[in-house]
Amino acid sequence: MTVVVLLVGSTTGGILVDHFGIFESPKKAVNRQKILGVLIMILGAAAIKLP
């Protein structure tokens, strides 16, 4: 479960860095695919954790 939390956090952080252009990176818009990808990761982790 710890690995899943780290992956979701780093993916979400990467999306935020891209969206706001933090660290002088080029700005990239958040789209539905990125949000859907994070939601699928969270749902997958929940499916594994729940009995």
Side-chain angles (χ1 to χ4, degrees), residues 29-48:
V30 176
N31 56 24
R32 291 181 188 175
Q33 286 180 325
K34 292 179 183 180
I35 295 171
L36 183 62
V38 172
L39 289 176
I40 289 172
M41 288 172 65
I42 293 169
L43 289 174
I48 291 170

Side-chain angles (χ1 to χ4, degrees), residues 1-3 8-11 13-16 18 20 25-27 31-32 36-37 39 41-44 48-50:
M1 189 66 175
T2 304
V3 174
V8 170
S10 64
T11 303
I15 291 171
L16 291 174
D18 282 347
F20 292 111
S25 65
K27 290 185 180 181
N31 56 24
R32 291 181 188 175
L36 183 62
L39 289 176
M41 288 172 65
I42 293 169
L43 289 174
I48 291 170
K49 189 67 177 173
L50 295 176

